[in-house]
Amino acid sequence: MLVCKNTAYQHSEDDHDEDVLKQGFEYKEPRYLLYDVNPGEGFNLRRDVYMRIAVLVQNLNKDGPWILVLPPWSRLYHWRSRDVGSQERIPWSTFFDLTSLTEFVPVIEFHEFLELSKEPIIEEVYYLQNYKEGWDKWEEKMDKRPCLVNPYEWDRESQRWRGWFFGYSDEVEALKMECISVLGHAGFLKPFLLANTTARSVMIDRAETVLHDRYGDAVFWQVRRSMRFSKKLREIGDAYRAEFLDSIDEQDKTVLTDSWTDMKTNHGDALGGPYLAVHLRRADFVRVREKDVPSIKHAAKQLKELARKHNLKKIFVATDAPLGEYEELKGHIGKEFDVFRFEPTKEVKQMYKDGGVAIIDQWICAHARLFVGTRESTFSFRIQDEREILGFDPEMTFNRLCNEKDKKCEQPTRWLIQY
Ligand code: GFB
């Protein structure tokens, strides 16, 4: 399936016909922008990098047709379940609603890009890196430089570059690869892409190196709003809310419009289901962000206080904690509250993997009357955005747990939605 909304840019046999020319459009073959991210990055930072690149592609489309090729999800560090089958080459449609993405920018899946290509080739790869010498004064700049690290390998036999290519290393190759030192916003890549290459397919690797053009403005929120989760995952989350948390959209005032482009809420429109939801980030965070993560006992104390304050009797826990820690939390919370955790069926796990289960957790947290997250976790940040889109009062969203030694317990920055 080729998803492309702008009919002037649609890639089909008919494009050459006179109608297109009559409409005043000069026919151009679309070009494909691919990207990848530092292999160690987690799912929710990757979502943020998508936003930077989607805005770039939207800007490129002002001058000619470009299509964003969605990088398949493969082998993420946090996806460790062994009972879910392969977690390689997962297409974006498993997690996101592609029609919705397309309402911001034309996108296709990587396998569709391969089907459209005569050969499994990406013509040019630009591997972004920092400046070896660092920088004193922040100014936008980019230069071709020797690679500081190079994960690609030149294959003498095929005269092509070999690389990871989202788990397609056995099939896909590149014709050209260069390293570019860059300091700048994603939009800064546009003049480079228009002036320095005429390749049909260009891949930007280590795309997290470039920053958002404008963090938090209306365009930022448009692309964020376009990232709706897949309908199936939303339905699984909704069914759980209805069954265990007495949470139904009509009642909770969280009904979605058919298209994100028609949805505009005010703070306080959404009420949310009668439960407190917490994102309790544990696993590697306990080690890496020791100062930000509370003990289980202290987390329970804060949750009980908040639930009492807001008169909520149910607590939903989204967590990557092992079962033992979750049981410990329940023990500390005690009988005063009912505590819930989403338990996927075998079928859901097989079908939607660790990534899908995490999204269901996020979706349930997004619909709670009150949300409390973990400091500096992009997983918690994405729940906060989702709640901004639904129209919650910021008081009910921008809350976090604190470590017992953190007496100030500063609450999260409120990145409020802009239209
Ligand atoms: O999403 P993420 O980048 O958030 O990475 P952080 C955390 C991953 O752990 C998620 C799983 O994508 C999930 O796979 N996970 C975390 C959870 N919390 C939950 C939860 O409540 N429910 C479920 N089902 N899964 C950063 C990473 O994580 O932490 C960096 O991006 C680094 O790579 C750093 O590891 C320490 O921003 O929280």
Side-chain angles (χ1 to χ4, degrees), residues 90-267:
I90 302 175
W92 275 58
S93 58
T94 306
F95 302 137
F96 294 97
D97 180 339
L98 259 53
T99 308
S100 217
L101 296 182
T102 305
E103 286 179 316
F104 183 78
V105 84
V107 296
I108 53 171
E109 300 272 17
F110 185 63
H111 65 86
E112 293 169 330
F113 162 76
L114 291 179
E115 281 153 28
L116 286 167
S117 308
K118 288 192 195 97
E119 282 185 278
I121 276 175
I122 298 168
E123 287 179 28
E124 298 182 1
V125 175
Y126 295 98
Y127 188 80
L128 305 186
Q129 57 186 14
N130 294 321
Y131 280 86
K132 191 178 177 190
E133 65 277 21
W135 49 278
D136 304 328
K137 177 166 73 84
W138 202 92
E139 55 177 343
E140 291 209 301
K141 56 180 182 175
M142 63 191 288
D143 295 282
K144 283 184 192 169
R145 286 283 178 92
C147 298
L148 300 175
V149 183
N150 185 358
Y152 294 89
E153 240 179 76
W154 177 247
D155 184 339
R156 280 202 198 164
E157 208 174 296
S158 65
Q159 292 285 299
R160 286 172 181 172
W161 289 94
R162 302 192 70 89
W164 155 247
F165 297 124
F166 329 104
Y168 287 75
S169 52
D170 290 343
E171 291 140 66
V172 176
E173 291 173 309
L175 299 182
K176 178 178 164 183
M177 201 290 299
E178 278 177 353
C179 287
I180 308 249
S181 290
V182 62
L183 189 60
H185 299 96
F188 191 55
L189 298 175
K190 178 177 170 177
F192 171 80
L193 291 169
L194 293 183
N196 291 279
T197 159
T198 53
R200 173 181 167 274
S201 52
V202 182
M203 173 165 159
I204 304 291
D205 199 349
R206 296 299 303 265
E208 78 285 356
T209 314
V210 285
L211 310 171
H212 279 284
D213 285 357
R214 281 172 303 278
Y215 195 87
D217 73 352
V219 176
F220 171 98
W221 279 101
Q222 276 167 22
V223 57
R224 177 63 187 83
R225 284 154 63 210
S226 76
M227 297 187 81
R228 280 192 174 173
F229 293 132
S230 80
K231 191 154 180 274
K232 193 68 206 152
L233 290 177
R234 284 186 267 137
E235 282 170 359
I236 297 169
D238 290 344
Y240 183 91
R241 286 167 50 213
E243 185 173 354
F244 298 103
L245 301 167
D246 312 315
S247 175
I248 292 161
D249 282 336
E250 286 73 17
Q251 225 165 263
D252 300 351
K253 303 194 173 136
T254 50
V255 177
L256 289 189
T257 53
D258 287 344
S259 161
W260 62 268
T261 57
D262 306 328
M263 186 148 164
K264 187 171 177 187
T265 56
N266 295 306
H267 287 122

Side-chain angles (χ1 to χ4, degrees), residues 40-45 77-79 279-281 284-285 288-289 318-320 354 357-358 361 376-379:
E41 300 297 350
F43 184 74
N44 287 292
L45 183 97
Y77 169 79
H78 302 94
W79 293 353
H279 172 230
L280 181 69
R281 180 79 161 82
D284 50 340
F285 245 53
V288 183
R289 299 200 183 275
T319 186
D320 54 350
D354 285 333
V357 173
D361 266 346
E376 293 296 336
S377 166
T378 54
F379 191 103

